[in-house]
Amino acid sequence: MTAQAAPVSHGHVVLVLPFDNRSGQTGLNWIGDSFPEMLNQRLSSSGFLTISRDDRMYALDHLGYPLDLKPSRATALRIAQTLDADLIVIGSFTMQGDRLAAQAQVLDVNKLSMSKPIEESVDKNRFFDLENAVAWKIVKDVDPSFPVAEQTFLTQSANDKLEAFESYVRGVSAQTPSERLKRLKTAVSVSPDYAAAILALGKAQYAQGQFEEAAATLSKLPQNNRLALEANFYLGLANFNSGQYPAAETAFGFVASRLPLPEVVNNQGVAASRQGKDAGALFQRASTADPKDADYHYNTATALFQRRDLPGAKAELQKTLSLRPADVEAPLLLQKIDNPSVDFEALPRIRRTYSESGFRQAAFELEQMRAMQTATLPPAKQSEALVQQGQDYLQQGLVLEAEREFQSALQMDTTSAAGHIGLAQVRERSGNTAEARSEAEASLKLKPNAAAYLVLARLELGAGQLPQAANDVSNAMRIEPSNAAAIALKQTIASRGQPVQ
């Protein structure tokens, strides 16, 4: 059985506001600030475009509101309209004894309608379960057909440490640079692999002019992490300010290869030019992408000047001045073109400002385009593409995103053995052994495959069923004799005294 069209991302732009602290304990205010951080992560993984804290702070400042405002419904609407959000999440939390409870509602900006209250309550030692469960219920409220299981949301924080998360939230909300650095350093020291904290610390160090420290911090974030693009933009700036131009060029080049925004391509060119390279092609790419930016025309002019293409350089400088009549350096370079004895060094300009919303919007649009391109394929091909995307997510540790793709693949083609094994791997990671087994067996019924046998083998091994695990590994190796995971599992089972045939 096959469907006719692949599901696509929702396209909703969501503003999550800090939850109101109704516990009566001011020391818990950080929990209210933590809800946008956690919910933004989960909603982004679910296909929504979420609005960052920085953009939220900008809107408050732009509208003349205090940054710690607890907005009314009318004020929330004004903020959302300023940020072009079509959904607002508002909520509150309480702490009574050992119980932590939260209530949330979703306000549809266009319909001016409010959802029914979304409620959740947990023991306080299950803090992450509260926020993950609220996130799942919000997604299901907006999109009842959303296919990802609640358990997948809950297990997203399985390895998170509350101390690190609290330090991170307090750090990004800190009012002074010193407090921000202190809190974020604590978060990273408690959880050295905490990607969001690494990025926030690197950005804070960069903002304080600690360029070498920022570069060292940001370089710790793996390139397959979804925050790597933003991290490498700042890594490029940090290295550039430290005079490490080859490293800066590499960092900007990494970002440009995946998200070729003009400011990134421009900065790649600036870093290259500081090494004596001809960056004219990069500057021209940036200028073509954003022809109304005076700096990109100026940078193109500097490259053409170095090539001795003086007419071309003059033309670009005239464009610079038409866009920015008060530009100081463009007239000087024009003078130098006409009179080489003029004492002026034409250096291209780096773009030091980073628009997180612009980057995130571009990345979101790329995902939307990918989904639309996938939807043009025949159903079987759509299913294959979705399975591959799911496996790519799994390799990055993005289990929620992976399940979304595998479920979509199975909606397209319920006979996809690869879709069932992908879902089995998700269920295995989320600790749902019964469904992991069921999906693996469903995959094997459709097509014998090593991956499904290996899921069963790991489940059997975890349950202490060594003979069954050995048999599953043996079956896997008959299909793929050189499968590295099967070989490793065979050795593990043999070390426990159970031979594998």
Side-chain angles (χ1 to χ4, degrees):
M1 176 180 178
T2 59
Q4 296 303 309
V8 298
S9 300
H10 319 88
H12 289 299
V13 181
V14 186
L15 170 63
V16 182
L17 294 172
F19 278 30
D20 191 21
N21 178 7
R22 297 182 181 173
S23 70
Q25 304 176 51
T26 58
L28 298 181
N29 284 343
W30 74 271
I31 294 179
D33 293 331
S34 76
F35 273 91
E37 298 295 332
M38 182 68 78
L39 267 56
N40 278 353
Q41 291 181 42
R42 301 297 173 254
L43 295 177
S44 295
S45 296
S46 303
F48 296 88
L49 178 60
T50 58
I51 293 173
S52 70
R53 182 182 186 279
D54 288 346
D55 284 339
R56 189 177 77 240
M57 294 296 101
Y58 167 80
L60 288 170
D61 182 65
H62 179 73
L63 294 169
Y65 296 133
L67 299 183
D68 59 352
L69 175 75
K70 302 300 181 186
S72 64
R73 175 173 170 173
T75 302
L77 279 170
R78 287 194 66 192
I79 297 170
Q81 289 165 351
T82 300
L83 295 169
D84 293 326
D86 56 351
L87 298 175
I88 311 172
V89 177
I90 58 176
S92 62
F93 73 93
T94 61
M95 174 83 82
Q96 294 183 346
D98 291 333
R99 297 292 293 179
L100 182 62
Q103 182 184 89
Q105 288 181 279
V106 181
L107 172 60
D108 188 312
V109 175
N110 299 318
K111 297 179 181 178
L112 294 179
S113 62
M114 187 81 81
S115 73
K116 293 181 180 179
I118 295 168
E119 298 178 335
E120 188 65 39
S121 175
V122 299
D123 291 335
K124 66 180 181 180
N125 61 357
R126 294 176 53 218
F127 176 90
F128 290 120
D129 284 355
L130 176 73
E131 298 195 342
N132 283 312
V134 168
W136 182 78
K137 289 182 177 181
I138 288 171
V139 176
K140 292 292 286 186
D141 180 84
V142 175
D143 179 8
S145 66
F146 185 70
V148 178
E150 182 179 13
Q151 183 62 27
T152 303
F153 275 67
L154 298 179
T155 56
Q156 292 301 290
S157 301
N159 298 318
D160 292 352
K161 296 181 179 178
L162 184 58
E163 180 185 355
F165 183 60
E166 178 180 350
S167 295
Y168 166 72
V169 172
R170 290 183 181 274
V172 296
S173 305
Q175 298 300 308
T176 64
S178 59
E179 179 70 10
R180 184 174 300 111
L181 286 169
K182 175 184 174 183
R183 294 286 188 180
L184 293 173
K185 285 180 179 178
T186 298
V188 174
S189 66
V190 172
S191 294
D193 298 328
Y194 191 172
I198 291 171
L199 174 59
L201 176 58
K203 289 169 63 176
Q205 291 169 326
Y206 174 79
Q208 292 304 299
Q210 300 174 9
F211 301 127
E212 293 182 0
E213 293 88 342
T217 298
L218 294 166
S219 62
K220 295 176 182 177
L221 212 155
Q223 290 192 338
N224 66 351
N225 190 282
R226 68 185 323 156
L227 299 179
L229 296 181
E230 184 178 356
N232 272 268
F233 185 85
Y234 280 102
L235 176 60
L237 287 177
N239 281 320
F240 184 86
N241 282 279
S242 300
Q244 304 297 320
Y245 302 127
E249 182 185 3
T250 298
F252 289 130
F254 167 76
V255 182
S257 68
R258 290 156 176 78
L259 204 61
L261 296 177
E263 56 263 53
V264 181
V265 175
N266 174 78
N267 286 5
Q268 183 185 2
V270 175
S273 70
R274 290 297 179 91
Q275 302 169 66
K277 299 178 182 179
D278 183 351
L282 291 170
F283 294 143
Q284 187 61 59
R285 278 179 60 194
S287 181
T288 300
D290 188 359
K292 294 184 179 181
D293 191 291
D295 289 337
Y296 301 155
H297 288 291
Y298 179 81
N299 287 354
T300 303
T302 65
L304 294 173
F305 175 72
Q306 293 299 324
R307 293 181 190 170
R308 309 310 298 168
D309 180 355
L310 303 185
K314 281 187 174 183
E316 291 295 329
L317 290 169
Q318 292 300 334
K319 292 177 183 177
T320 302
L321 289 168
S322 69
L323 293 164
R324 186 186 295 148
D327 195 285
V328 175
E329 294 176 312
L332 294 174
L333 183 50
L334 280 170
Q335 292 176 30
K336 190 172 184 66
I337 290 173
D338 293 331
N339 182 3
S341 65
V342 171
D343 184 16
F344 175 69
E345 183 180 9
L347 293 176
R349 301 163 179 170
I350 196 163
R351 183 55 55 84
R352 299 181 186 277
T353 56
Y354 167 84
S355 171
E356 180 184 355
S357 59
F359 267 56
R360 293 168 67 248
Q361 177 71 36
F364 180 77
E365 288 175 355
L366 283 176
E367 182 172 341
Q368 294 282 81
M369 288 176 60
R370 175 186 60 76
M372 288 188 289
Q373 290 170 351
T374 300
T376 65
L377 300 172
K381 292 295 184 181
Q382 287 188 52
S383 181
E384 290 176 11
L386 290 165
V387 167
Q388 183 57 57
Q389 290 155 13
Q391 288 296 340
D392 290 343
Y393 280 134
L394 265 188
Q395 290 178 7
Q396 298 173 55
L398 302 175
V399 180
L400 195 161
E401 290 87 339
E403 177 172 349
R404 193 182 70 193
E405 300 300 309
F406 292 136
Q407 292 280 20
S408 296
L410 288 170
Q411 287 178 27
M412 294 304 305
D413 182 3
T414 58
T415 65
S416 169
H420 282 290
I421 188 52
L423 197 52
Q425 292 166 333
V426 167
R427 295 288 177 260
E428 181 187 7
R429 293 197 188 191
S430 62
N432 190 332
T433 57
E435 288 194 15
R437 178 182 295 280
S438 176
E439 292 293 339
E441 290 173 346
S443 179
L444 288 172
K445 287 180 181 178
L446 292 165
K447 179 182 178 180
N449 62 90
Y453 279 120
L454 291 177
V455 168
L456 293 174
R458 288 189 293 268
L459 295 176
E460 301 290 7
L461 182 62
Q465 304 295 324
L466 295 181
Q468 294 91 327
N471 184 61
D472 289 326
V473 170
S474 179
N475 287 330
M477 295 189 71
R478 287 193 186 95
I479 298 171
E480 295 182 20
S482 59
N483 185 296
I487 293 171
L489 201 53
K490 176 181 178 179
Q491 293 172 346
T492 299
I493 295 171
S495 69
R496 299 188 185 184
Q498 177 64 51
V500 178
Q501 302 298 324

